[in-house]
Protein backbone atom coordinates (compact mmCIF):
# COMPACT_ATOMS: atom_id res chain seq x y z
CA UNK A 1 0.00 0.00 0.00
CA UNK A 2 1.46 3.35 -1.05
CA UNK A 3 1.33 6.12 1.51
CA UNK A 4 1.52 9.87 0.96
CA UNK A 5 2.94 11.93 3.80
CA UNK A 6 2.35 15.43 2.49
CA UNK A 7 0.90 17.46 -0.36
CA UNK A 8 2.35 20.95 -0.52
CA UNK A 9 1.03 23.85 -2.54
CA UNK A 10 2.97 26.76 -3.98
CA UNK A 11 6.37 25.12 -4.17
CA UNK A 12 8.85 27.13 -6.22
CA UNK A 13 11.91 24.89 -5.82
CA UNK A 14 10.85 21.61 -7.40
CA UNK A 15 10.73 22.34 -11.10
CA UNK A 16 9.56 25.24 -13.27
CA UNK A 17 6.86 27.70 -12.16
CA UNK A 18 4.66 27.25 -9.12
CA UNK A 19 4.06 23.62 -8.26
CA UNK A 20 2.05 21.22 -6.18
CA UNK A 21 4.38 18.67 -4.60
CA UNK A 22 3.19 15.19 -3.64
CA UNK A 23 5.39 13.35 -1.13
CA UNK A 24 5.50 9.53 -1.29
CA UNK A 25 6.45 7.71 1.91
CA UNK A 26 9.33 5.20 1.86
CA UNK A 27 12.88 5.45 0.57
CA UNK A 28 15.56 2.85 -0.27
CA UNK A 29 18.25 5.26 0.99
CA UNK A 30 18.74 6.64 4.48
CA UNK A 31 20.73 9.86 4.08
CA UNK A 32 22.00 11.16 7.40
CA UNK A 33 21.05 14.74 6.46
CA UNK A 34 17.57 13.86 5.09
CA UNK A 35 15.28 16.90 5.36
CA UNK A 36 12.21 14.63 5.42
CA UNK A 37 13.00 11.76 7.82
CA UNK A 38 9.27 11.00 8.05
CA UNK A 39 9.55 9.98 4.39
CA UNK A 40 12.10 7.21 4.94
CA UNK A 41 9.90 4.47 6.43
CA UNK A 42 7.17 3.18 4.09
CA UNK A 43 4.92 2.62 7.12
CA UNK A 44 2.64 4.99 8.97
CA UNK A 45 4.43 6.65 11.87
CA UNK A 46 3.18 8.49 14.87
CA UNK A 47 4.79 11.87 15.51
CA UNK A 48 4.69 13.50 18.94
CA UNK A 49 5.23 17.21 19.42
CA UNK A 50 6.50 17.53 23.00
CA UNK A 51 5.98 21.31 22.97
CA UNK A 52 2.25 20.85 22.52
CA UNK A 53 1.89 17.97 25.01
CA UNK A 54 0.17 18.87 28.31
CA UNK A 55 0.79 15.33 29.68
CA UNK A 56 -2.89 14.61 30.23
CA UNK A 57 -2.39 10.90 29.34
CA UNK A 58 -5.61 10.81 27.31
CA UNK A 59 -3.69 9.14 24.45
CA UNK A 60 -2.40 6.38 26.74
CA UNK A 61 -5.92 5.29 27.64
CA UNK A 62 -7.12 5.36 24.04
CA UNK A 63 -4.43 3.21 22.44
CA UNK A 64 -6.00 -0.18 21.61
CA UNK A 65 -2.57 -1.81 21.49
CA UNK A 66 -1.14 -0.50 24.77
CA UNK A 67 1.69 1.06 22.78
CA UNK A 68 1.77 4.23 24.86
CA UNK A 69 2.88 4.86 28.41
CA UNK A 70 3.86 7.81 30.58
CA UNK A 71 7.34 7.31 32.00
CA UNK A 72 9.45 9.89 33.80
CA UNK A 73 6.87 12.53 32.88
CA UNK A 74 7.23 11.73 29.16
CA UNK A 75 4.92 9.96 26.73
CA UNK A 76 6.81 7.00 25.29
CA UNK A 77 5.81 4.70 22.43
CA UNK A 78 6.61 1.04 21.99
CA UNK A 79 7.34 1.01 18.26
CA UNK A 80 6.78 -2.75 18.16
CA UNK A 81 3.19 -2.34 19.33
CA UNK A 82 2.20 0.85 17.49
CA UNK A 83 0.36 0.11 14.24
CA UNK A 84 -0.22 3.75 13.29
CA UNK A 85 -4.00 3.48 13.65
CA UNK A 86 -4.27 7.12 14.71
CA UNK A 87 -6.74 6.62 17.57
CA UNK A 88 -4.39 8.43 19.94
CA UNK A 89 -4.35 11.50 17.68
CA UNK A 90 -8.13 11.73 17.96
CA UNK A 91 -7.92 11.53 21.74
CA UNK A 92 -5.26 14.22 22.07
CA UNK A 93 -6.83 17.57 23.06
CA UNK A 94 -3.89 19.70 21.92
CA UNK A 95 -2.94 18.25 18.54
CA UNK A 96 0.38 17.03 19.92
CA UNK A 97 0.06 13.75 18.04
CA UNK A 98 -0.14 13.23 14.32
CA UNK A 99 0.20 10.28 11.97
CA UNK A 100 2.61 10.63 9.09
CA UNK A 101 1.41 8.70 6.04
CA UNK A 102 -2.06 8.31 4.57
CA UNK A 103 -3.60 6.00 1.97
CA UNK A 104 -4.89 8.58 -0.47
CA UNK A 105 -6.85 7.54 -3.53
CA UNK A 106 -5.88 8.59 -7.03
CA UNK A 107 -9.16 10.52 -7.23
CA UNK A 108 -8.37 12.46 -4.05
CA UNK A 109 -4.84 13.35 -5.18
CA UNK A 110 -6.05 14.32 -8.66
CA UNK A 111 -8.71 16.56 -7.10
CA UNK A 112 -5.97 18.37 -5.16
CA UNK A 113 -3.88 18.67 -8.33
CA UNK A 114 -6.77 19.97 -10.43
CA UNK A 115 -7.56 22.68 -7.86
CA UNK A 116 -4.19 24.22 -8.76
CA UNK A 117 -4.73 24.25 -12.55
CA UNK A 118 -5.08 28.02 -12.64
CA UNK A 119 -1.82 28.51 -10.73
CA UNK A 120 -0.06 26.04 -13.04
CA UNK A 121 -1.35 27.85 -16.13
CA UNK A 122 -0.39 31.30 -14.87
CA UNK A 123 3.12 30.29 -13.73
CA UNK A 124 3.94 27.56 -16.25
CA UNK A 125 4.20 25.25 -13.27
CA UNK A 126 2.85 21.79 -12.61
CA UNK A 127 3.03 18.86 -10.26
CA UNK A 128 6.16 17.31 -8.73
CA UNK A 129 6.22 13.83 -7.27
CA UNK A 130 8.89 13.39 -4.61
CA UNK A 131 9.39 11.66 -1.28
CA UNK A 132 10.84 9.62 0.16
CA UNK A 133 11.27 7.91 -3.17
CA UNK A 134 8.33 8.03 -5.59
CA UNK A 135 9.81 5.23 -7.71
CA UNK A 136 9.15 2.82 -4.83
CA UNK A 137 5.47 3.29 -5.68
CA UNK A 138 5.36 2.48 -9.38
CA UNK A 139 1.67 1.67 -9.63
CA UNK A 140 0.32 4.81 -7.92
CA UNK A 141 2.98 7.02 -9.50
CA UNK A 142 2.24 5.76 -13.02
CA UNK A 143 -1.49 6.22 -12.56
CA UNK A 144 -0.99 9.81 -11.41
CA UNK A 145 1.48 10.53 -14.23
CA UNK A 146 -1.00 9.16 -16.78
CA UNK A 147 -3.87 11.24 -15.45
CA UNK A 148 -1.78 14.42 -15.28
CA UNK A 149 -0.52 13.71 -18.80
CA UNK A 150 -4.11 13.47 -20.09
CA UNK A 151 -4.75 16.92 -18.59
CA UNK A 152 -1.49 18.28 -20.05
CA UNK A 153 -0.18 19.18 -16.61
CA UNK A 154 3.62 19.50 -16.46
CA UNK A 155 5.02 16.51 -14.54
CA UNK A 156 8.32 16.39 -12.65
CA UNK A 157 9.63 13.44 -10.65
CA UNK A 158 12.24 14.09 -7.96
CA UNK A 159 14.12 10.83 -7.43
CA UNK A 160 17.25 9.35 -5.89
CA UNK A 161 17.48 7.16 -9.04
CA UNK A 162 18.20 4.21 -6.79
CA UNK A 163 15.98 1.99 -8.93
CA UNK A 164 16.28 -0.38 -11.87
CA UNK A 165 17.17 1.14 -15.22
CA UNK A 166 13.92 -0.12 -16.77
CA UNK A 167 11.81 1.58 -14.08
CA UNK A 168 13.73 4.86 -14.37
CA UNK A 169 13.26 4.75 -18.15
CA UNK A 170 9.53 4.04 -17.83
CA UNK A 171 9.03 6.97 -15.46
CA UNK A 172 11.19 9.28 -17.60
CA UNK A 173 9.06 8.36 -20.64
CA UNK A 174 5.97 9.46 -18.73
CA UNK A 175 7.01 12.83 -17.33
CA UNK A 176 8.50 16.06 -18.63
CA UNK A 177 11.34 16.41 -16.12
CA UNK A 178 13.42 14.20 -13.85
CA UNK A 179 15.03 15.93 -10.87
CA UNK A 180 18.04 13.67 -10.35
CA UNK A 181 19.71 13.68 -6.94
CA UNK A 182 23.51 13.35 -6.86
CA UNK A 183 24.64 13.00 -3.28
CA UNK A 184 28.29 11.94 -3.45
CA UNK A 185 30.62 10.89 -6.26
CA UNK A 186 32.70 8.50 -4.17
CA UNK A 187 30.96 5.08 -3.91
CA UNK A 188 32.31 4.39 -0.41
CA UNK A 189 31.32 7.84 0.89
CA UNK A 190 27.91 7.49 -0.76
CA UNK A 191 27.39 4.20 1.04
CA UNK A 192 28.60 5.64 4.32
CA UNK A 193 26.22 8.60 4.23
CA UNK A 194 23.16 7.11 2.49
CA UNK A 195 23.40 3.39 3.17
CA UNK A 196 23.90 2.45 -0.50
CA UNK A 197 26.58 2.88 -3.14
CA UNK A 198 26.20 5.26 -6.08
CA UNK A 199 26.98 3.04 -9.10
CA UNK A 200 23.32 2.38 -9.95
CA UNK A 201 22.46 6.08 -9.58
CA UNK A 202 25.30 7.30 -11.80
CA UNK A 203 24.51 4.61 -14.35
CA UNK A 204 20.87 5.79 -14.44
CA UNK A 205 21.99 9.40 -14.91
CA UNK A 206 24.18 8.29 -17.80
CA UNK A 207 21.21 6.41 -19.31
CA UNK A 208 18.97 9.50 -19.00
CA UNK A 209 21.57 11.60 -20.81
CA UNK A 210 22.36 9.01 -23.48
CA UNK A 211 18.68 8.52 -24.29
CA UNK A 212 17.94 12.26 -24.42
CA UNK A 213 15.59 12.57 -21.43
CA UNK A 214 15.20 15.98 -19.81
CA UNK A 215 16.70 15.95 -16.34
CA UNK A 216 18.16 18.38 -13.84
CA UNK A 217 20.98 17.13 -11.60
CA UNK A 218 20.52 18.29 -8.00
CA UNK A 219 23.20 18.19 -5.33
CA UNK A 220 22.28 18.63 -1.65
CA UNK A 221 25.31 20.74 -0.72
CA UNK A 222 26.60 19.92 2.75
CA UNK A 223 29.77 21.31 4.28
CA UNK A 224 31.75 18.42 5.74
CA UNK A 225 30.08 15.83 3.47
CA UNK A 226 30.20 16.68 -0.22
CA UNK A 227 30.99 20.38 -0.70
CA UNK A 228 34.76 19.82 -0.95
CA UNK A 229 36.68 20.60 -4.12
CA UNK A 230 37.42 16.94 -4.87
CA UNK A 231 33.78 15.84 -4.84
CA UNK A 232 32.43 18.84 -6.73
CA UNK A 233 35.17 18.50 -9.35
CA UNK A 234 34.30 14.81 -9.75
CA UNK A 235 30.61 15.73 -10.16
CA UNK A 236 31.43 18.41 -12.74
CA UNK A 237 33.73 16.05 -14.66
CA UNK A 238 31.05 13.33 -14.67
CA UNK A 239 28.30 15.67 -15.88
CA UNK A 240 30.57 17.23 -18.50
CA UNK A 241 31.17 13.76 -19.93
CA UNK A 242 27.44 13.32 -20.68
CA UNK A 243 25.76 14.27 -23.95
CA UNK A 244 23.83 17.56 -23.77
CA UNK A 245 25.64 18.78 -20.66
CA UNK A 246 25.93 22.32 -22.01
CA UNK A 247 22.12 22.68 -21.93
CA UNK A 248 21.80 21.38 -18.40
CA UNK A 249 21.79 23.44 -15.18
CA UNK A 250 22.93 21.86 -11.93
CA UNK A 251 20.95 22.88 -8.86
CA UNK A 252 22.89 23.15 -5.60
CA UNK A 253 20.57 22.73 -2.62
CA UNK A 254 22.29 24.10 0.51
CA UNK A 255 21.79 21.92 3.58
CA UNK A 256 19.68 23.26 6.47
CA UNK A 257 19.35 21.68 9.85
CA UNK A 258 15.57 21.35 9.56
CA UNK A 259 15.29 17.64 10.26
CA UNK A 260 16.29 17.73 13.92
CA UNK A 261 12.83 18.68 15.18
CA UNK A 262 11.21 16.02 12.98
CA UNK A 263 13.51 13.33 14.42
CA UNK A 264 12.47 14.41 17.91
CA UNK A 265 8.82 14.00 16.95
CA UNK A 266 9.54 10.56 15.47
CA UNK A 267 11.67 9.46 18.45
CA UNK A 268 14.51 8.70 16.02
CA UNK A 269 18.10 9.87 16.30
CA UNK A 270 19.32 12.72 14.17
CA UNK A 271 22.92 12.11 13.02
CA UNK A 272 23.58 9.46 15.71
CA UNK A 273 27.31 9.25 14.91
CA UNK A 274 27.74 13.03 15.23
CA UNK A 275 29.22 13.38 11.77
CA UNK A 276 30.10 17.07 11.29
CA UNK A 277 27.61 18.62 8.85
CA UNK A 278 27.08 22.29 8.18
CA UNK A 279 25.24 24.70 6.00
CA UNK A 280 27.64 25.71 3.21
CA UNK A 281 28.94 29.28 3.45
CA UNK A 282 28.36 31.75 0.60
CA UNK A 283 32.07 31.34 -0.23
CA UNK A 284 31.72 27.55 -0.51
CA UNK A 285 28.66 27.89 -2.74
CA UNK A 286 30.48 30.40 -4.96
CA UNK A 287 33.50 28.07 -5.18
CA UNK A 288 31.27 25.14 -6.22
CA UNK A 289 29.52 27.25 -8.87
CA UNK A 290 32.94 28.32 -10.20
CA UNK A 291 34.08 24.68 -10.44
CA UNK A 292 31.03 23.77 -12.54
CA UNK A 293 31.57 26.89 -14.62
CA UNK A 294 35.14 25.81 -15.37
CA UNK A 295 33.64 22.67 -16.96
CA UNK A 296 31.16 24.71 -19.01
CA UNK A 297 28.21 23.81 -16.76
CA UNK A 298 25.85 26.35 -15.25
CA UNK A 299 25.14 25.79 -11.56
CA UNK A 300 22.59 27.66 -9.46
CA UNK A 301 21.89 27.80 -5.76
CA UNK A 302 18.74 28.78 -3.88
S1 LIG B 1 -1.21 5.17 16.44
FE1 LIG B 1 -2.65 3.63 17.29
S2 LIG B 1 -1.32 1.95 17.96
FE2 LIG B 1 0.01 3.74 17.67
S3 LIG B 1 0.13 4.71 19.67
FE3 LIG B 1 -1.54 5.72 18.57
S4 LIG B 1 -3.38 4.59 19.17
FE4 LIG B 1 -1.63 3.32 19.72
S1 LIG C 1 -3.21 13.16 24.71
FE1 LIG C 1 -1.85 14.65 23.72
S2 LIG C 1 -1.50 16.20 25.29
FE2 LIG C 1 -2.32 14.39 26.36
S3 LIG C 1 -0.49 13.23 27.00
FE3 LIG C 1 -1.10 12.42 25.01
S4 LIG C 1 0.13 13.60 23.53
FE4 LIG C 1 0.19 14.71 25.46
Amino acid sequence: MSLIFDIKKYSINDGPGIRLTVFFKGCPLNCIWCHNPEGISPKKEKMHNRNKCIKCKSCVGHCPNSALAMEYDEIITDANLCVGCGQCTEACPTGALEISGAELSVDYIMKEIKKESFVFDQSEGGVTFCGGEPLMHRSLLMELLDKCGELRIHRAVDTSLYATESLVREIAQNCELILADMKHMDPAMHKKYTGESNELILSNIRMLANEGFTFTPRIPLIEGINADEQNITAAARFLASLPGFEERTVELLPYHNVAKGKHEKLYTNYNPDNIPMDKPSPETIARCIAIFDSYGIEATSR
Side-chain angles (χ1 to χ4, degrees):
M1 172 58 73
S2 293
L3 300 178
I4 302 296
F5 71 90
D6 205 356
I7 297 181
K8 276 206 173 102
K9 292 180 180 179
Y10 310 125
S11 163
I12 52 167
N13 294 316
D14 296 315
I18 300 175
R19 311 192 68 82
L20 184 95
T21 307
V22 180
F23 294 79
F24 286 74
K25 193 156 160 47
C27 185
L29 304 183
N30 192 354
C31 306
I32 57 167
W33 57 83
C34 181
H35 283 179
N36 294 319
E38 74 275 40
I40 293 172
S41 166
K43 295 182 184 162
K44 287 186 184 182
E45 289 173 290
K46 184 177 63 59
M47 297 176 83
H48 180 217
N49 186 338
R50 290 175 177 84
N51 295 330
K52 285 189 181 173
C53 180
I54 55 170
K55 302 179 179 173
C56 66
K57 292 209 277 189
S58 169
C59 54
V60 176
H62 279 81
C63 175
N65 294 327
S66 305
L68 295 170
M70 178 78 91
E71 278 185 17
Y72 302 108
D73 211 27
E74 280 282 347
I75 291 291
I76 56 155
T77 306
D78 185 333
N80 294 320
L81 295 177
C82 176
V83 294
C85 68
Q87 290 191 38
C88 55
T89 64
E90 285 158 29
C92 177
T94 65
L97 296 168
E98 58 182 300
I99 296 293
S100 173
E103 295 138 11
L104 302 182
S105 68
V106 170
D107 285 351
Y108 176 89
I109 300 169
M110 285 309 300
K111 220 168 171 183
E112 294 300 301
I113 291 172
K114 283 184 209 163
K115 279 186 206 163
E116 302 306 304
S117 301
F118 180 74
V119 177
F120 299 158
D121 289 346
Q122 294 300 305
S123 67
E124 297 186 15
V127 61
T128 299
F129 299 103
C130 71
E133 173 51 70
L135 271 62
M136 273 179 71
H137 307 273
R138 182 195 167 277
S139 172
L140 177 59
L141 177 60
M142 277 302 297
E143 224 178 312
L144 291 167
L145 288 172
D146 281 351
K147 292 208 179 295
C148 290
E150 285 164 15
L151 297 171
R152 298 186 171 275
I153 293 171
H154 183 276
R155 303 159 295 179
V157 177
D158 181 8
T159 169
S160 69
L161 293 175
Y162 192 76
T164 62
E165 184 181 285
S166 58
L167 177 57
V168 173
R169 184 180 291 109
E170 182 184 23
I171 299 301
Q173 284 166 341
N174 286 282
C175 69
E176 282 66 57
L177 174 66
I178 294 278
L179 301 169
D181 291 356
M182 287 176 61
K183 300 168 197 298
H184 208 293
M185 295 306 293
D186 181 282
M189 290 296 110
H190 198 283
K191 186 163 176 60
K192 176 178 175 186
Y193 296 130
T194 74
E196 299 293 344
S197 188
N198 63 2
E199 283 97 347
L200 181 61
I201 293 164
L202 297 181
S203 155
N204 278 326
I205 292 178
R206 193 169 283 287
M207 180 276 290
L208 290 172
N210 286 341
E211 298 187 16
F213 291 110
T214 302
F215 73 96
T216 298
R218 309 222 292 181
I219 299 177
L221 200 64
I222 310 152
E223 198 85 69
I225 300 284
N226 64 359
D228 55 285
E229 192 170 336
Q230 192 182 352
N231 183 58
I232 297 301
T233 302
R237 200 179 297 130
F238 171 74
L239 291 172
S241 74
L242 304 178
F245 77 90
E246 55 292 303
E247 291 150 26
R248 216 164 274 130
T249 298
V250 177
E251 290 182 2
L252 305 177
L253 314 176
Y255 161 81
H256 295 281
N257 182 8
V258 293
K260 209 167 175 218
K262 291 184 180 179
H263 276 285
E264 279 169 16
K265 286 185 187 175
L266 287 163
Y267 292 93
T268 49
N269 289 327
Y270 173 72
N271 190 10
D273 297 327
N274 283 322
I275 293 169
M277 291 190 287
D278 258 317
K279 189 178 167 188
S281 65
E283 293 74 29
T284 296
I285 295 171
R287 176 175 49 73
C288 293
I289 290 174
I291 292 172
F292 281 108
D293 188 51
S294 71
Y295 281 81
I297 298 170
E298 186 188 4
T300 60
S301 170
R302 291 177 193 165

